[in-house]
Amino acid sequence: MTSKAIVFKTLSYFLLILLTVIIIIPVLWAFTASIKEDAEFYGSPWALPQGVYLQNFADAWLKANMGDYMFNSVLVTALSIALLLVIALPAAYVLARYRFRGSVLWNTMFMAGLFINVNYIIVPIFLMLNNGDKVARSMFGQPFLLNNIFILALVYTAMALPFTVYLLSGYFKSLSKEYEEAASVDGAGYFRTMVQVIMPMARPAIITIILFNFLSFWNEYIISMTLLTKPEYKTLPVGLMNLLAAQKSAVEYGQLYAGLVIVMLPTLLIYILVQKKLTQGMTMGGLKG
């Protein structure tokens, strides 16, 4: 190994270690702060906790309603990912593997959707749903578009659909046609081929889009705050911001950091569970030409 290669390798390891430290220190500090009593924050904020004060989590879960907010976040995230997979997987497969009248137009529309930031059109979406609620109120006696978890899940799904279809289409295009030809010889139809042959091979790509979209849906704030105005429907990011605003006067820092840990923990656990799948090759077995 040449001296230049040694220097490059050493520098690369140094930068990776530095990046790891920059990421880990705030996370560890949030976890340690969440088990401190409030009086400990008036000394050195960097000091280790004197004990394990789990009452912070109970207060955040019950008094600050983080439990209700978590239930809402779990529900809307699960609904959004389920809807996204049901719509995006068949759409990406058909657009990637078949040519038909209008396929170029559909591909172009999904590509154009990549350049639309939903945060910039949230006001028109809100006005559209609000006007729809006015019609629903006059026809059915009550609105149902705003403050509706399912409607929020639909908006999340539409937001993530262009990128998800684009990513999956790129993967499906890389697969050999021999897979479908072999399935056709065995008597499998289009739907059976997609479900039993193509989908298992796409498992790494599917796990990747689930993780990316989970992070996006779980941490989303602006759309949730706009479309869910009633306190009982708020999601975790909105609830955490409300907790942060409340703690400015209450000065209950332990409860605040406990709420922050409650928001972070599911993301960390899911990443730990699927990290091996993310590093796997995008194809799993297959035919050799």
Side-chain angles (χ1 to χ4, degrees), residues 42-63:
Y42 295 106
S44 173
W46 295 101
L48 294 175
Q50 298 175 3
V52 180
Y53 189 67
L54 298 179
Q55 186 63 35
N56 290 330
F57 290 92
D59 291 341
W61 188 266
L62 298 175
K63 293 182 180 180

Side-chain angles (χ1 to χ4, degrees), residues 243-254:
L243 180 60
L244 177 62
Q247 298 313 315
K248 287 182 179 179
S249 57
V251 199
E252 295 178 353
Y253 297 110

Side-chain angles (χ1 to χ4, degrees), residues 23-92:
I23 294 174
I24 287 179
I25 286 180
V27 175
L28 290 179
W29 191 79
F31 274 91
T32 56
S34 68
I35 57 175
K36 287 183 178 181
E37 296 190 47
D38 293 329
E40 297 181 56
F41 289 93
Y42 295 106
S44 173
W46 295 101
L48 294 175
Q50 298 175 3
V52 180
Y53 189 67
L54 298 179
Q55 186 63 35
N56 290 330
F57 290 92
D59 291 341
W61 188 266
L62 298 175
K63 293 182 180 180
N65 297 322
M66 297 300 287
D68 295 335
Y69 298 148
M70 173 169 278
F71 175 79
N72 292 335
S73 284
V74 169
L75 184 59
V76 71
T77 302
L79 279 174
S80 302
I81 291 177
L83 287 171
L84 185 63
L85 292 178
V86 168
I87 297 172
L89 283 171

Side-chain angles (χ1 to χ4, degrees), residues 47-205:
L48 294 175
Q50 298 175 3
V52 180
Y53 189 67
L54 298 179
Q55 186 63 35
N56 290 330
F57 290 92
D59 291 341
W61 188 266
L62 298 175
K63 293 182 180 180
N65 297 322
M66 297 300 287
D68 295 335
Y69 298 148
M70 173 169 278
F71 175 79
N72 292 335
S73 284
V74 169
L75 184 59
V76 71
T77 302
L79 279 174
S80 302
I81 291 177
L83 287 171
L84 185 63
L85 292 178
V86 168
I87 297 172
L89 283 171
Y93 175 69
V94 171
L95 291 174
R97 308 297 281 183
Y98 301 102
R99 290 292 175 265
F100 53 91
R101 182 178 297 178
S103 62
V104 175
L105 176 62
W106 280 106
N107 273 301
T108 303
M109 291 175 63
F110 279 116
M111 288 289 293
L114 294 172
F115 301 97
I116 299 176
N117 189 329
V118 73
N119 293 325
Y120 298 151
I121 60 173
I122 187 58
V123 173
I125 292 175
F126 173 80
L127 294 176
M128 179 181 66
L129 296 178
N130 189 49
N131 292 333
D133 270 346
K134 292 179 180 179
V135 176
R137 189 180 291 110
S138 63
M139 295 180 61
F140 306 107
Q142 62 179 5
F144 59 86
L145 295 178
L146 294 175
N147 293 304
N148 188 320
I149 294 291
F150 183 74
I151 297 299
L152 179 62
L154 283 178
V155 174
Y156 282 172
T157 301
M159 173 183 70
L161 202 56
F163 173 75
T164 303
V165 170
Y166 172 77
L167 183 66
L168 288 173
S169 295
Y171 172 77
F172 289 141
K173 287 177 182 178
S174 68
L175 298 178
S176 172
K177 289 285 187 180
E178 295 180 13
Y179 295 108
E180 286 142 321
E181 293 172 1
S184 178
V185 170
D186 291 338
Y190 296 123
F191 182 77
R192 183 181 172 189
T193 300
M194 181 185 70
V195 173
Q196 296 186 357
V197 178
I198 302 299
M199 297 304 176
M201 295 173 55
R203 190 177 293 115

Side-chain angles (χ1 to χ4, degrees), residues 271-289:
Y271 178 77
I272 291 171
L273 291 174
V274 303
Q275 62 173 335
K276 291 184 179 180
K277 291 292 183 181
L278 292 177
T279 56
Q280 284 182 355
M282 292 300 291
T283 57
M284 301 176 64
L287 299 174
K288 294 183 179 180

